[in-house]
Amino acid sequence: MADEEDELPETELSYDQKKEIAKWFLLNAPAGEINYVAKDLKAVLSDEEVYNEAAMEAFPVYNKSHMICLEMPNRAGDVIVSSYSEITENEYLDPRTAQVAIVDHVQQICTKVRPADDEELASSYIEEFRCALDAEIQRYVSESYPKGVSAVNCVKGKDVDGPGTDFEFVVIITARKLSPQNFCNGSWRSVWNIDFQDESQVLDIKGKLQVGAHYFEEGNVELDAKKEFQDSTIFQSADDCAIAIANIIRHHETEYLAALEVAYSKLPDNTFKDLRRKLPVTRTLFPWQNTLQFSLTREAEKELGLGK
């Protein structure tokens, strides 16, 4: 009787609580998996109103943070959905084609496009630098990322019409490899802020890289690696600046990828050992030297005495 009296009665979650929980699941979905999460979430909630409101709030944030790329109608090009290209909540500028894409965030499609207004575009002086950098970044991405896309946006000083004033670009590089039929998805996102400082004739370069991977065959393993960089170069002509910036980005990203590969090669010797205690319940040492012969679940659990 005492135990029954101590049990807390079940309480129904409020509308707002359900919505916030639903948003959390949507926002934390791995790259390319938000629609799978949404489908299951909709079935679990059994409340169309809660789901719709959560989706309307979560999808725009998710799409911008993952910098998804959408194809514009009539093969007009691609647009990267990001906070750097955002004009309004559903409008995103593609500076390469001087078009504005109207986006349905929940459906993750571009419904239509319109020509960008003059006030939405950069001046001819800024555009000279932007186009030169865009061409160099496109060349680098095509060589390094088979499914990569890029964009160069002016986020400060787009109306500058000549030397004497600072301005700033943001270079976005995003690539995804989705293979849900093989139980794995991955994404690469890098954002580089290029601050053109006219007085000091220096370009201050700051980069943020994020690599995500999700493997879910007979288990659930997720990687979320982040790295920041800082560099600089001198203020030169548009073409020379573009080459220098692209080389700096190439150097840091290549170096980081190499570091990740080294880390992966050491997983069996280091990381996997730290996942479990030295002696399992069987009191038998795990054969770490043969780690690669085991799957992540069944065979390893059988060896450790944890299987059914």
Side-chain angles (χ1 to χ4, degrees), residues 123-137 139 152 163 167 169 194 196 201 203 233-247:
S123 67
S124 58
Y125 173 74
I126 296 297
E127 193 63 10
E128 180 185 2
F129 282 86
R130 197 207 63 77
C131 285
L133 180 56
D134 188 33
E136 288 297 326
I137 295 299
R139 186 177 297 112
V152 179
F167 56 94
F169 291 162
I194 321 296
F196 290 74
Q201 291 292 290
L203 274 60
T233 187
I234 59 173
F235 202 140
Q236 308 169 76
S237 67
D239 289 338
D240 290 338
C241 280
I243 293 171
I245 294 166
N247 286 338

Side-chain angles (χ1 to χ4, degrees), residues 23-138:
K23 283 172 57 180
W24 185 92
F25 278 106
L26 292 170
L27 291 171
N28 286 277
E33 296 180 36
I34 189 171
N35 287 314
Y36 298 107
V37 174
K39 182 180 178 181
D40 291 339
L41 195 60
K42 194 172 183 179
V44 170
L45 281 172
S46 297
D47 190 322
E48 195 80 15
E49 187 179 356
V50 171
Y51 168 77
N52 287 339
E53 188 168 343
M56 289 293 290
E57 294 181 15
F59 267 85
V61 177
Y62 179 92
N63 293 340
K64 286 185 288 185
S65 66
H66 282 260
M67 297 187 294
I68 67 169
C69 180
L70 299 178
E71 183 180 351
M72 291 188 279
N74 302 319
R75 299 184 178 179
D78 298 318
V79 63
I80 297 178
V81 177
S82 76
S83 58
Y84 307 105
S85 58
E86 186 175 30
I87 296 175
T88 66
E89 185 179 2
N90 298 315
E91 293 186 320
Y92 296 86
L93 173 68
D94 176 36
R96 188 176 298 153
T97 61
Q99 295 185 104
V100 175
I102 291 84
V103 171
D104 183 326
H105 280 287
V106 177
Q107 296 296 320
Q108 291 187 322
I109 59 172
C110 177
T111 57
K112 58 182 179 179
V113 297
R114 65 169 176 83
D117 298 331
D118 290 342
E119 60 268 20
E120 295 168 340
L121 298 173
S123 67
S124 58
Y125 173 74
I126 296 297
E127 193 63 10
E128 180 185 2
F129 282 86
R130 197 207 63 77
C131 285
L133 180 56
D134 188 33
E136 288 297 326
I137 295 299
Q138 274 189 284

Side-chain angles (χ1 to χ4, degrees), residues 131-196:
C131 285
L133 180 56
D134 188 33
E136 288 297 326
I137 295 299
Q138 274 189 284
R139 186 177 297 112
Y140 158 60
V141 170
S142 66
E143 294 170 354
S144 304
Y145 302 97
K147 295 185 179 181
V149 290
S150 63
V152 179
N153 292 88
C154 181
V155 295
K156 186 181 76 174
K158 69 180 181 67
D159 297 323
V160 172
D161 56 8
T165 307
D166 298 347
F167 56 94
E168 183 178 355
F169 291 162
V170 170
V171 175
I172 299 170
I173 300 172
T174 177
R176 300 197 300 177
K177 186 172 183 179
L178 307 180
S179 186
Q181 69 276 16
N182 293 315
F183 308 100
C184 60
N185 296 308
S187 68
W188 170 281
R189 286 168 277 170
S190 58
V191 176
W192 295 87
N193 290 72
I194 321 296
D195 188 7
F196 290 74

